[in-house]
Amino acid sequence: MGKQGCVYLVGAGPGDIGLVTAKGYQYLQQAEVVLYDRLVNPLLLEYASPQAEFIYCGKMPKKHILRQEAINDLLIQHGLEGKKVVRLKGGDPSVFGRVGEEAEALEQAGVPYEIVPGITAGIGAAAYAGVPVTHREHSLSFAVITGHDKSPSGEPLIDWHALAKGIDTIAFYMGIGNLPHIADQLISHGRSPDTPVLLIQWGTTGKQRTLQGSLANIVGKAKTAQFKNPAIILVGEVSEIKKGESWFESKPLFSQHLLLGRASDEQSAIGQHLRDQGAEVFEFPRMQLKKNLLKETDIPTDKDLLFLSPASVDVFFASLQANKMDIRHIQGDFYGVSPKTVKALASYHCVGKEMSERDPHASTLVILGDSEGIDREKQRYSFVFDQDFIATHTYTRVPQTLQTFRRLQEEERIETIIFPNVRAVKTVTESFQECGESPENISMYAQVICFGEKSKQAAVKAGYSVDKVLSEPTEKALFEALLQKEFSLAAAFS
């Protein structure tokens, strides 16, 4: 009997990748196939398995990449093949996400499934705009309404009288195209023209944009501001709670979309700190580590060892364990190329030193690192023979990361590129070229920041126009550069 498949209908939340539930994140990591919608933040795809197959099911008004029937067929096909399938939907799959139709199709085909709820946009986007959808003094009821439906005109066919007179706060989804009809119907069925209205576009993301008005004037304001979907129309007294920037919009790096160059499989601490300050960060390209466990005869026991990264430390100690070798057989001293690497040695209860502490006249040094790092260090340590270098691992690019880049590019969310080192310039540029992009074209719409002169020289040689070189290669200097007016991309919509 073959392995049984299962389809997980997962709510991805309204945009912020931190709003996915723990269960949704777990299933995404385990998925062999991921079918995702247009309103799913592409950055979520970076957390799927490197081996997962991605299928884009984007839907726009009057334009469908895959029709619903085809999506149902794919879910059934992969489920019957015994695969773990995640159907990733923006917001909550049960709120205008057509999860009922997909669940019914799976049920009829005998494919097991689970529904994993998510945070719906009407609540999440409002909260990120600083507005609670209920409030003891302003709103004791809340309703979510589709802003367009299957009627010939696309205008929602609902009980307007009950809605206008009986519900305090109303969230219309994807209704900007029908905003005049919605405002007219609410007013004509008894809602005051002075009722506050808040429009929230791309809620909970760095592209979040808001517009306040009333039922009487919101149509004109939205037209002037060229407001478009995806957006929530929030009608009710609670909308007036928003005064200026919300807690989310006031973060120092809000609305900045950063591509942080990456050269290993480790996520950057800098990347997380930038996210904490409100930036949307794409660490690109995503890399996968392949270990080259050493044979016992290849493990040096009587020479000093220089580790080029924490990963090389991990592979070395994994090799000792695989060969059942006692650490006491290693007679040489341990060195790390960076404080982070020295710290990795300490995690194995070994004392590591920085290279500055080593006697330059000491015995032969053996350098352990990834294959590309070894090539770089061979040039630096050209006086050392080739056999004194050991490749502990290699990095390969995860193919799906290119799909994430393309989706972000289509949504105009590649605005600033950061090169922390020379190696990142190489890996990023190769990935761009695989997507059919050139450094020259990227530089026309994205600003480029380099940590130092060496990374600048590499970037210029590759074809980029470099806009800024940090005063010092630190996180603090990067943060200050991003805060400068010429690097603040916040405000196209402020």
Side-chain angles (χ1 to χ4, degrees), residues 175-180 183 197 199 201 209-229 231 233 493:
I176 296 298
N178 287 325
L179 184 56
V197 178
L199 307 185
Q201 184 184 53
R209 178 188 180 196
T210 60
L211 182 67
Q212 289 180 282
S214 66
L215 284 176
N217 64 23
I218 195 63
V219 172
K221 285 190 169 188
K223 185 176 181 180
T224 300
Q226 297 183 330
F227 232 82
K228 298 178 181 178
N229 286 323
I233 304 167
F493 298 126

Side-chain angles (χ1 to χ4, degrees), residues 261-262 419-430 450 454-456 458-460 462 464:
R262 193 171 178 177
F419 291 125
N421 51 51
V422 171
R423 194 166 174 189
V425 175
K426 181 177 184 293
T427 57
V428 169
T429 304
E430 289 175 349
C450 293
K454 287 186 178 180
S455 54
K456 176 190 175 181
V460 170
Y464 297 96

